[in-house]
Amino acid sequence: MKKLIFLLPIIVVSFGNPKPEKTNISFYEVDLQKEKVELVWKNSSDSIYGSIENVLQSDSDLNLVMNAGMYTAEQKPLGLYIEKGKVLKSLNKTQKAYGNFYMQPNGVFYITKDSTFVTQCNEFKQSDNIQFATQSGPMLIINGEYHPKFKKGSNNLNIRNGVGILPNGNPIFAISNTPINFYDFAKFFKEKGCKNALYLDGAISRAYIPSKGLYDKKGKFGVMIIVKSIAN
C-alpha cells in the first residue's frame, strides 16, 4: 500500500516591529502650533557658530539643526539675511553669475511671528513683520510647478537640502541621504503638496534631526536653521 504524504502550509510568524522602510530623503515637518523656527549665525560673543555641534553646545534642546543657505569663504551670508528683525545682509539682486545660488528664479525663506514663507526674490517685500530671512537658490517648486531649468533624469547628483511650505502652512525641511538630482529632489516637495520650495545647499549639507535618527553634528556653515519646542 502506498503511503499518502500530506504537505502542510508553512506559516512564518514575525515577531517585533517591521524595520522602517529606507528612503532617499529624510524630512521634518514643523508644527507651528508647538514649535518655532529661527535662524542663527553668530553666538553671544559675536563668533560664527560654523557647525551644528557649536549650535548644540549653546542649546542642546533642539528638534532640528540644518544649514540654511549659501555663504562666502568667510562664512558670511551670500544673500539676504535677517535675524531678530535686523537686516544683517541685504538682498543679493545679481541676475547673471555662475552657481546654483544665481539660477533664476532664486528665492527667500522667511519667518514672521506666526508663519513661514518661501517666495521668489523678485517678489520678496521687506516688512517690519519679518523676524528671520535667508536667501538661497534656485527655487525648487514655483507656484506648484518645477523650476523650468530642472531636467528629469539629470546626472547632476549631489546631497541636497531644502525647505517647502505645506498646504497647512507648516514648513517642511528635507535632506537627501544619498546624491540626488534637482528634479527628483523638487519632486519630493511637489508630492507633499508644496506650492513653493527653496533649495538651501548641496554636497556640504548636513542635518541634526534626532526624531528621524539623524545626529550629524559636523559641518562648516554660515547661517543655520534651528527648530525648538515652544515652552508651555
Side-chain angles (χ1 to χ4, degrees), residues 84-166:
K84 296 180 179 179
K86 185 177 180 179
V87 179
L88 301 181
K89 180 69 183 295
S90 59
L91 190 73
N92 187 328
K93 297 182 180 180
T94 303
Q95 293 289 313
K96 295 182 179 180
Y98 176 78
N100 293 328
F101 181 90
Y102 300 104
M103 189 187 298
Q104 301 300 319
N106 52 12
V108 174
F109 168 62
Y110 66 97
I111 304 161
T112 64
K113 183 178 180 180
D114 303 311
S115 303
T116 59
F117 303 87
V118 168
T119 188
Q120 299 175 63
C121 285
N122 59 6
E123 295 181 356
F124 175 77
K125 294 182 180 180
Q126 180 60 46
S127 166
D128 292 339
N129 194 37
I130 297 174
Q131 296 184 327
F132 298 90
T134 182
Q135 180 183 0
S136 193
M139 291 284 290
L140 295 169
I141 300 296
I142 309 162
N143 298 322
E145 301 296 332
Y146 292 103
H147 191 292
K149 293 184 179 179
F150 293 171
K151 295 181 180 180
K152 188 175 183 179
S154 169
N155 61 3
N156 177 18
L157 306 178
N158 252 319
I159 297 294
R160 305 183 190 276
N161 73 308
V163 56
I165 307 301
L166 294 166

Coordinates of all heavy atoms in Angstrom, one line a residue, residues 84-166:
K84 N 16.3 88.3 14.0 CA 15.6 89.0 15.0 C 15.2 90.4 14.6 O 15.3 91.4 15.3 CB 16.4 89.1 16.3 CG 16.7 87.7 16.9 CD 17.5 87.8 18.2 CE 17.8 86.4 18.7 NZ 18.6 86.5 20.0
G85 N 14.7 90.5 13.3 CA 14.2 91.7 12.8 C 15.2 92.6 12.2 O 14.8 93.7 11.6
K86 N 16.5 92.3 12.3 CA 17.5 93.2 11.9 C 18.1 92.7 10.6 O 18.5 91.5 10.5 CB 18.6 93.3 12.9 CG 19.7 94.3 12.6 CD 20.7 94.5 13.7 CE 21.8 95.5 13.4 NZ 22.8 95.6 14.5
V87 N 18.2 93.5 9.6 CA 18.8 93.1 8.3 C 20.3 93.2 8.4 O 20.9 94.3 8.5 CB 18.3 94.1 7.1 CG1 19.0 93.6 5.8 CG2 16.8 94.0 7.0
L88 N 21.0 92.0 8.4 CA 22.4 92.0 8.6 C 23.1 91.9 7.2 O 24.3 92.1 7.1 CB 22.8 90.8 9.4 CG 22.2 90.8 10.9 CD1 22.7 89.6 11.6 CD2 22.6 92.1 11.6
K89 N 22.4 91.4 6.2 CA 22.9 91.4 4.8 C 21.7 91.7 3.9 O 20.6 91.1 4.0 CB 23.5 90.1 4.5 CG 24.1 89.9 3.1 CD 25.3 90.8 2.8 CE 25.8 90.7 1.4 NZ 26.3 89.3 1.0
S90 N 21.8 92.6 3.0 CA 20.7 93.0 2.1 C 20.5 91.9 1.0 O 21.4 91.1 0.7 CB 21.0 94.4 1.5 OG 22.2 94.4 0.7
L91 N 19.4 92.0 0.3 CA 19.1 91.1 -0.8 C 20.1 91.2 -1.9 O 20.5 92.2 -2.4 CB 17.7 91.4 -1.3 CG 17.1 90.4 -2.3 CD1 16.6 89.2 -1.5 CD2 15.9 91.0 -3.0
N92 N 20.6 90.0 -2.3 CA 21.5 89.9 -3.4 C 20.7 89.9 -4.7 O 20.0 88.9 -5.0 CB 22.4 88.6 -3.3 CG 23.5 88.6 -4.3 OD1 23.4 89.0 -5.4 ND2 24.6 87.9 -3.9
K93 N 20.8 91.0 -5.5 CA 20.0 91.1 -6.7 C 20.7 90.7 -8.0 O 20.2 90.9 -9.1 CB 19.5 92.5 -6.8 CG 18.5 92.9 -5.7 CD 18.0 94.3 -5.8 CE 17.1 94.7 -4.7 NZ 16.6 96.1 -4.8
T94 N 21.9 90.1 -7.8 CA 22.7 89.7 -9.0 C 21.9 88.7 -9.9 O 21.3 87.7 -9.3 CB 24.0 89.0 -8.6 OG1 24.7 89.9 -7.8 CG2 24.8 88.6 -9.8
Q95 N 21.7 89.0 -11.1 CA 20.9 88.1 -12.0 C 21.8 87.1 -12.8 O 21.3 86.0 -13.1 CB 20.1 89.0 -13.0 CG 19.1 89.9 -12.3 CD 17.9 89.0 -11.8 OE1 17.4 88.2 -12.5 NE2 17.5 89.3 -10.6
K96 N 23.0 87.5 -13.2 CA 23.8 86.7 -14.1 C 25.1 86.4 -13.4 O 26.0 87.3 -13.3 CB 24.0 87.4 -15.4 CG 22.7 87.5 -16.2 CD 23.0 88.1 -17.6 CE 21.7 88.3 -18.4 NZ 21.9 88.9 -19.7
A97 N 25.3 85.2 -12.9 CA 26.5 84.8 -12.3 C 26.5 83.2 -12.3 O 25.5 82.6 -12.4 CB 26.7 85.3 -10.9
Y98 N 27.6 82.6 -12.0 CA 27.7 81.2 -12.0 C 27.3 80.6 -10.7 O 27.6 81.2 -9.6 CB 29.2 80.8 -12.3 CG 29.4 79.3 -12.3 CD1 29.0 78.4 -13.3 CD2 30.0 78.7 -11.2 CE1 29.2 77.1 -13.3 CE2 30.2 77.3 -11.1 CZ 29.8 76.5 -12.2 OH 29.9 75.1 -12.1
G99 N 26.7 79.4 -10.7 CA 26.4 78.7 -9.5 C 24.9 78.6 -9.2 O 24.1 79.3 -9.8
N100 N 24.6 77.6 -8.4 CA 23.2 77.3 -8.0 C 22.4 78.5 -7.4 O 21.3 78.8 -7.7 CB 23.1 76.1 -7.1 CG 23.5 74.9 -7.7 OD1 23.4 74.7 -8.9 ND2 24.1 74.0 -6.9
F101 N 23.1 79.3 -6.6 CA 22.5 80.4 -5.9 C 21.9 81.4 -6.9 O 20.9 82.0 -6.7 CB 23.6 81.1 -5.1 CG 23.1 82.3 -4.3 CD1 22.5 82.2 -3.0 CD2 23.1 83.6 -4.9 CE1 22.1 83.3 -2.3 CE2 22.6 84.7 -4.2 CZ 22.1 84.6 -2.9
Y102 N 22.6 81.5 -8.1 CA 22.1 82.5 -9.0 C 21.2 82.0 -10.1 O 20.9 82.7 -11.1 CB 23.4 83.2 -9.7 CG 24.3 83.9 -8.7 CD1 25.5 83.3 -8.3 CD2 23.9 85.1 -8.2 CE1 26.3 83.9 -7.4 CE2 24.7 85.8 -7.2 CZ 25.9 85.2 -6.8 OH 26.7 85.8 -5.9
M103 N 20.9 80.7 -10.0 CA 20.0 80.1 -11.0 C 18.6 80.7 -10.8 O 17.9 80.5 -9.9 CB 19.9 78.6 -10.9 CG 19.2 77.9 -12.0 SD 18.9 76.1 -11.7 CE 20.6 75.5 -11.6
Q104 N 18.2 81.5 -11.8 CA 16.9 82.2 -11.7 C 15.7 81.4 -12.1 O 15.7 80.6 -13.0 CB 17.0 83.5 -12.6 CG 18.1 84.4 -12.2 CD 18.1 85.0 -10.8 OE1 17.0 85.3 -10.3 NE2 19.2 85.0 -10.2
P105 N 14.6 81.5 -11.3 CA 14.5 82.4 -10.1 C 15.0 81.7 -8.9 O 14.9 80.5 -8.7 CB 13.0 82.6 -10.0 CG 12.4 81.4 -10.6 CD 13.3 81.0 -11.7
N106 N 15.7 82.5 -8.1 CA 16.1 82.1 -6.7 C 15.1 82.6 -5.7 O 14.1 83.1 -6.1 CB 17.6 82.4 -6.4 CG 17.8 83.9 -6.6 OD1 16.9 84.7 -6.8 ND2 19.1 84.3 -6.6
G107 N 15.4 82.4 -4.4 CA 14.3 82.7 -3.5 C 14.7 83.1 -2.1 O 15.9 83.1 -1.8
V108 N 13.7 83.3 -1.3 CA 13.9 83.7 0.1 C 13.0 82.8 1.0 O 11.8 82.7 0.7 CB 13.6 85.2 0.4 CG1 13.7 85.5 1.8 CG2 14.5 86.1 -0.4
F109 N 13.5 82.3 2.0 CA 12.7 81.6 3.1 C 12.7 82.6 4.3 O 13.7 83.1 4.7 CB 13.4 80.3 3.5 CG 12.8 79.8 4.8 CD1 11.5 79.4 4.9 CD2 13.6 79.6 5.9 CE1 10.9 78.9 6.0 CE2 13.1 79.1 7.1 CZ 11.7 78.7 7.2
Y110 N 11.5 83.0 4.7 CA 11.4 84.0 5.8 C 10.3 83.6 6.8 O 9.4 82.8 6.5 CB 11.2 85.4 5.2 CG 9.9 85.7 4.5 CD1 8.9 86.3 5.2 CD2 9.7 85.5 3.2 CE1 7.7 86.7 4.6 CE2 8.6 85.8 2.5 CZ 7.5 86.4 3.2 OH 6.3 86.7 2.6
I111 N 10.5 84.2 8.0 CA 9.7 83.8 9.1 C 9.2 85.1 9.8 O 9.9 86.0 10.1 CB 10.6 83.1 10.2 CG1 11.3 81.9 9.5 CG2 9.8 82.7 11.4 CD1 12.5 81.4 10.3
T112 N 7.9 85.1 10.0 CA 7.2 86.1 10.7 C 6.9 85.6 12.1 O 7.2 84.5 12.5 CB 5.9 86.6 10.0 OG1 5.0 85.5 10.0 CG2 6.2 87.1 8.6
K113 N 6.2 86.3 12.9 CA 5.8 85.9 14.2 C 5.0 84.6 14.2 O 5.2 83.8 15.1 CB 5.1 87.0 15.0 CG 4.7 86.7 16.4 CD 4.0 87.8 17.1 CE 3.7 87.5 18.6 NZ 3.0 88.6 19.3
D114 N 4.1 84.5 13.3 CA 3.2 83.4 13.3 C 3.3 82.4 12.1 O 2.7 81.3 12.2 CB 1.7 83.9 13.2 CG 1.4 84.8 14.4 OD1 1.8 84.5 15.6 OD2 0.9 86.0 14.2
S115 N 4.1 82.8 11.1 CA 4.1 81.9 9.9 C 5.5 81.9 9.2 O 6.4 82.6 9.6 CB 3.1 82.5 8.8 OG 1.8 82.5 9.4
T116 N 5.6 81.0 8.3 CA 6.8 80.9 7.5 C 6.5 80.9 6.0 O 5.4 80.5 5.6 CB 7.6 79.6 7.8 OG1 6.8 78.5 7.5 CG2 8.1 79.5 9.2
F117 N 7.4 81.4 5.2 CA 7.1 81.6 3.7 C 8.3 81.3 2.9 O 9.4 81.4 3.3 CB 6.6 83.0 3.5 CG 5.5 83.5 4.3 CD1 5.6 84.0 5.6 CD2 4.2 83.4 3.8 CE1 4.6 84.5 6.3 CE2 3.1 83.8 4.5 CZ 3.3 84.4 5.8
V118 N 8.0 80.9 1.6 CA 9.0 80.8 0.6 C 8.5 81.6 -0.6 O 7.4 81.4 -1.0 CB 9.3 79.3 0.2 CG1 10.1 79.3 -1.1 CG2 10.0 78.6 1.3
T119 N 9.4 82.5 -1.1 CA 8.9 83.3 -2.2 C 10.1 83.6 -3.1 O 11.3 83.5 -2.7 CB 8.3 84.6 -1.8 OG1 7.8 85.3 -2.9 CG2 9.4 85.5 -1.1
Q120 N 9.9 83.9 -4.4 CA 10.9 84.2 -5.3 C 11.5 85.6 -4.9 O 10.8 86.5 -4.4 CB 10.3 84.4 -6.7 CG 9.7 83.1 -7.3 CD 9.1 83.3 -8.6 OE1 9.8 83.6 -9.6 NE2 7.8 83.1 -8.7
C121 N 12.8 85.8 -5.2 CA 13.5 87.0 -4.8 C 12.8 88.2 -5.4 O 12.7 89.3 -4.7 CB 14.9 87.0 -5.2 SG 15.9 85.9 -4.1
N122 N 12.4 88.1 -6.6 CA 11.8 89.3 -7.3 C 10.4 89.6 -6.8 O 9.8 90.6 -7.2 CB 11.8 89.1 -8.8 CG 11.0 87.9 -9.3 OD1 10.4 87.2 -8.5 ND2 11.0 87.6 -10.6
E123 N 9.9 88.8 -5.9 CA 8.5 89.0 -5.3 C 8.6 89.3 -3.8 O 7.6 89.6 -3.2 CB 7.6 87.8 -5.6 CG 7.3 87.6 -7.0 CD 6.3 86.4 -7.2 OE1 6.0 85.7 -6.2 OE2 5.9 86.2 -8.4
F124 N 9.9 89.2 -3.3 CA 10.0 89.5 -1.9 C 9.9 90.9 -1.5 O 10.4 91.8 -2.2 CB 11.4 89.0 -1.4 CG 11.7 89.3 0.0 CD1 11.2 88.5 1.0 CD2 12.6 90.3 0.3 CE1 11.5 88.8 2.4 CE2 12.9 90.6 1.7 CZ 12.3 89.9 2.7
K125 N 9.2 91.2 -0.4 CA 9.0 92.6 0.0 C 9.4 92.7 1.5 O 8.9 91.9 2.3 CB 7.5 93.0 -0.2 CG 7.1 93.0 -1.6 CD 5.6 93.5 -1.7 CE 5.2 93.6 -3.2 NZ 3.7 94.0 -3.3
Q126 N 10.3 93.6 1.7 CA 10.7 93.8 3.1 C 9.6 94.3 4.0 O 8.8 95.1 3.6 CB 11.9 94.8 3.1 CG 12.4 95.1 4.5 CD 13.0 93.9 5.2 OE1 13.7 93.1 4.6 NE2 12.6 93.7 6.4
S127 N 9.5 93.8 5.2 CA 8.5 94.2 6.1 C 9.0 94.2 7.6 O 9.8 93.3 7.9 CB 7.3 93.3 6.0 OG 6.4 93.4 7.1
D128 N 8.5 95.0 8.4 CA 8.9 95.0 9.8 C 8.4 93.8 10.5 O 8.8 93.5 11.6 CB 8.3 96.3 10.5 CG 9.0 97.6 10.0 OD1 10.1 97.5 9.5 OD2 8.4 98.6 10.2
N129 N 7.5 93.1 9.9 CA 6.9 91.9 10.5 C 7.8 90.7 10.3 O 7.6 89.6 11.0 CB 5.5 91.6 9.8 CG 4.7 90.6 10.6 OD1 4.8 90.5 11.8 ND2 4.0 89.7 9.9
I130 N 8.8 90.8 9.5 CA 9.7 89.7 9.2 C 10.8 89.6 10.3 O 11.5 90.6 10.6 CB 10.4 89.8 7.8 CG1 9.3 89.7 6.7 CG2 11.5 88.7 7.6 CD1 9.9 90.0 5.4
Q131 N 10.9 88.5 11.0 CA 11.8 88.3 12.1 C 13.1 87.6 11.6 O 14.2 88.0 12.1 CB 11.2 87.4 13.2 CG 10.0 88.1 13.8 CD 9.4 87.3 15.0 OE1 9.5 86.1 15.0 NE2 8.9 88.0 16.0
F132 N 13.0 86.7 10.7 CA 14.2 86.0 10.2 C 14.0 85.8 8.7 O 12.9 85.6 8.2 CB 14.4 84.6 10.8 CG 14.6 84.7 12.3 CD1 13.5 84.6 13.2 CD2 15.9 84.7 12.8 CE1 13.7 84.7 14.6 CE2 16.1 84.8 14.2 CZ 15.0 84.7 15.1
A133 N 15.1 85.8 7.9 CA 15.1 85.5 6.5 C 16.4 85.1 6.0 O 17.5 85.5 6.5 CB 14.6 86.7 5.7
T134 N 16.4 84.2 5.0 CA 17.7 83.7 4.4 C 17.4 83.6 2.9 O 16.3 83.1 2.5 CB 18.2 82.4 5.0 OG1 19.4 82.1 4.3 CG2 17.2 81.3 4.8
Q135 N 18.3 84.0 2.1 CA 18.2 83.9 0.6 C 19.1 82.8 0.1 O 20.2 82.5 0.6 CB 18.7 85.2 0.0 CG 18.6 85.2 -1.6 CD 19.1 86.5 -2.2 OE1 19.6 87.4 -1.4 NE2 19.1 86.7 -3.5
S136 N 18.5 82.0 -0.9 CA 19.3 80.9 -1.5 C 18.7 80.7 -2.9 O 17.9 81.4 -3.4 CB 19.2 79.7 -0.6 OG 20.2 78.7 -1.1
G137 N 19.2 79.7 -3.5 CA 18.7 79.4 -4.9 C 19.3 78.1 -5.4 O 20.3 77.6 -4.9
P138 N 18.6 77.5 -6.4 CA 17.4 78.0 -7.0 C 16.1 77.7 -6.2 O 16.1 76.9 -5.3 CB 17.4 77.3 -8.4 CG 18.0 76.0 -8.0 CD 19.1 76.3 -7.0
M139 N 15.0 78.2 -6.7 CA 13.7 77.8 -6.2 C 13.5 76.3 -6.7 O 14.0 76.0 -7.8 CB 12.6 78.6 -6.8 CG 12.5 80.0 -6.2 SD 11.8 80.1 -4.6 CE 10.0 79.7 -4.9
L140 N 12.9 75.5 -5.9 CA 12.6 74.1 -6.4 C 11.3 74.0 -7.0 O 11.1 73.4 -8.1 CB 12.8 73.2 -5.2 CG 14.2 73.1 -4.5 CD1 14.1 72.3 -3.2 CD2 15.1 72.4 -5.5
I141 N 10.3 74.5 -6.3 CA 8.9 74.5 -6.8 C 8.4 75.9 -6.8 O 8.6 76.7 -5.8 CB 8.0 73.7 -5.8 CG1 8.5 72.2 -5.8 CG2 6.5 73.7 -6.3 CD1 8.4 71.5 -7.1
I142 N 7.8 76.3 -7.9 CA 7.3 77.7 -8.1 C 5.8 77.7 -8.4 O 5.5 77.2 -9.5 CB 8.1 78.4 -9.2 CG1 9.6 78.3 -9.0 CG2 7.7 79.9 -9.3 CD1 10.4 78.6 -10.2
N143 N 5.0 78.1 -7.5 CA 3.6 78.1 -7.7 C 3.1 76.7 -8.2 O 2.3 76.6 -9.1 CB 3.2 79.2 -8.7 CG 3.5 80.6 -8.2 OD1 3.4 80.9 -7.0 ND2 4.0 81.4 -9.1
G144 N 3.6 75.7 -7.5 CA 3.2 74.3 -7.8 C 3.8 73.7 -8.9 O 3.5 72.5 -9.2
E145 N 4.8 74.3 -9.6 CA 5.5 73.8 -10.8 C 7.0 73.6 -10.5 O 7.5 74.4 -9.8 CB 5.2 74.6 -12.0 CG 3.7 74.7 -12.4 CD 3.0 73.4 -12.7 OE1 3.7 72.5 -13.2 OE2 1.8 73.3 -12.5
Y146 N 7.6 72.7 -11.3 CA 9.0 72.6 -11.2 C 9.8 73.8 -11.7 O 9.3 74.5 -12.6 CB 9.5 71.3 -12.0 CG 9.0 70.0 -11.4 CD1 8.0 69.3 -12.0 CD2 9.7 69.4 -10.3 CE1 7.6 68.1 -11.5 CE2 9.3 68.2 -9.8 CZ 8.2 67.5 -10.4 OH 7.8 66.3 -9.9
H147 N 10.9 74.1 -11.1 CA 11.8 75.1 -11.7 C 12.0 74.7 -13.2 O 12.3 73.6 -13.5 CB 13.1 75.1 -11.0 CG 14.0 76.3 -11.3 ND1 14.6 76.4 -12.5 CD2 14.4 77.4 -10.6 CE1 15.3 77.6 -12.5 NE2 15.2 78.1 -11.4
P148 N 11.9 75.7 -14.1 CA 11.9 75.4 -15.6 C 13.3 74.8 -16.0 O 13.3 74.2 -17.1 CB 11.6 76.7 -16.2 CG 11.9 77.7 -15.2 CD 11.6 77.1 -13.9
K149 N 14.3 75.0 -15.3 CA 15.7 74.5 -15.7 C 16.0 73.1 -15.3 O 17.0 72.6 -15.6 CB 16.7 75.5 -15.3 CG 16.6 76.9 -15.9 CD 17.8 77.8 -15.6 CE 17.7 79.1 -16.3 NZ 18.8 80.0 -15.9
F150 N 15.1 72.5 -14.5 CA 15.4 71.2 -14.0 C 15.1 70.1 -15.1 O 14.1 70.3 -15.8 CB 14.5 70.8 -12.7 CG 14.9 71.7 -11.5 CD1 14.1 71.6 -10.4 CD2 16.0 72.5 -11.5 CE1 14.4 72.4 -9.3 CE2 16.3 73.2 -10.4 CZ 15.5 73.2 -9.3
K151 N 15.9 69.1 -15.1 CA 15.8 68.1 -16.2 C 15.6 66.7 -15.5 O 16.4 66.3 -14.7 CB 17.0 68.0 -17.1 CG 17.2 69.3 -17.9 CD 18.4 69.1 -18.8 CE 18.6 70.4 -19.6 NZ 19.8 70.3 -20.5
K152 N 14.5 66.1 -15.9 CA 14.2 64.7 -15.4 C 15.3 63.8 -15.8 O 15.7 63.8 -17.0 CB 12.8 64.3 -15.8 CG 12.4 63.0 -15.2 CD 11.0 62.6 -15.7 CE 10.5 61.4 -15.0 NZ 9.1 61.0 -15.4
G153 N 15.9 63.0 -14.9 CA 16.9 62.0 -15.3 C 18.3 62.6 -15.3 O 19.2 62.0 -15.8
S154 N 18.4 63.9 -14.9 CA 19.7 64.5 -14.9 C 20.7 63.7 -14.1 O 20.4 63.2 -13.1 CB 19.6 65.9 -14.4 OG 20.9 66.5 -14.1
N155 N 22.0 63.7 -14.6 CA 23.0 63.0 -13.8 C 23.8 64.0 -12.9 O 24.9 63.6 -12.4 CB 24.0 62.2 -14.7 CG 24.7 63.1 -15.7 OD1 24.5 64.4 -15.7 ND2 25.5 62.6 -16.6
N156 N 23.3 65.2 -12.7 CA 23.9 66.1 -11.8 C 23.4 65.8 -10.4 O 22.4 66.3 -9.9 CB 23.4 67.6 -12.1 CG 24.0 68.6 -11.2 OD1 24.9 68.4 -10.4 ND2 23.3 69.8 -11.2
L157 N 24.2 64.9 -9.7 CA 23.8 64.3 -8.4 C 24.6 64.9 -7.3 O 25.8 65.1 -7.4 CB 23.9 62.8 -8.4 CG 23.3 62.0 -9.6 CD1 23.6 60.6 -9.5 CD2 21.8 62.3 -9.6
N158 N 23.9 65.2 -6.2 CA 24.5 65.8 -5.0 C 23.6 65.5 -3.8 O 22.4 65.3 -3.9 CB 24.8 67.3 -5.1 CG 26.2 67.6 -5.3 OD1 27.1 67.0 -4.7 ND2 26.5 68.5 -6.2
I159 N 24.2 65.5 -2.6 CA 23.4 65.6 -1.4 C 22.8 67.0 -1.4 O 23.4 68.0 -1.8 CB 24.3 65.5 -0.1 CG1 24.9 64.1 -0.1 CG2 23.5 65.8 1.1 CD1 24.0 63.0 0.1
R160 N 21.5 67.1 -1.1 CA 20.8 68.4 -1.2 C 19.9 68.6 0.0 O 19.3 67.6 0.5 CB 20.0 68.5 -2.5 CG 20.9 68.3 -3.7 CD 20.0 68.5 -5.0 NE 20.8 68.0 -6.2 CZ 21.7 68.8 -6.9 NH1 22.0 70.0 -6.4 NH2 22.3 68.3 -7.9
N161 N 19.7 69.8 0.4 CA 18.7 70.1 1.4 C 17.9 71.3 1.0 O 18.3 72.2 0.2 CB 19.3 70.3 2.8 CG 20.0 71.6 3.0 OD1 20.9 71.9 2.2 ND2 19.7 72.3 4.1
G162 N 16.6 71.4 1.6 CA 15.8 72.5 1.2 C 14.6 72.6 2.1 O 14.5 71.9 3.1
V163 N 13.7 73.6 1.8 CA 12.6 73.9 2.6 C 11.4 74.2 1.7 O 11.5 74.8 0.7 CB 12.8 75.1 3.6 CG1 13.3 76.3 2.8 CG2 11.6 75.4 4.4
G164 N 10.2 73.7 2.1 CA 9.0 74.0 1.4 C 7.9 74.3 2.4 O 8.0 74.1 3.6
I165 N 6.8 74.9 1.9 CA 5.7 75.2 2.7 C 4.5 74.3 2.4 O 4.1 74.3 1.2 CB 5.2 76.7 2.6 CG1 6.4 77.6 2.8 CG2 4.1 77.0 3.5 CD1 7.1 77.5 4.1
L166 N 4.0 73.6 3.3 CA 3.0 72.6 3.1 C 1.6 73.3 3.0 O 1.4 74.5 3.4 CB 2.9 71.6 4.3 CG 4.1 70.7 4.4 CD1 4.1 70.0 5.8 CD2 4.1 69.7 3.3

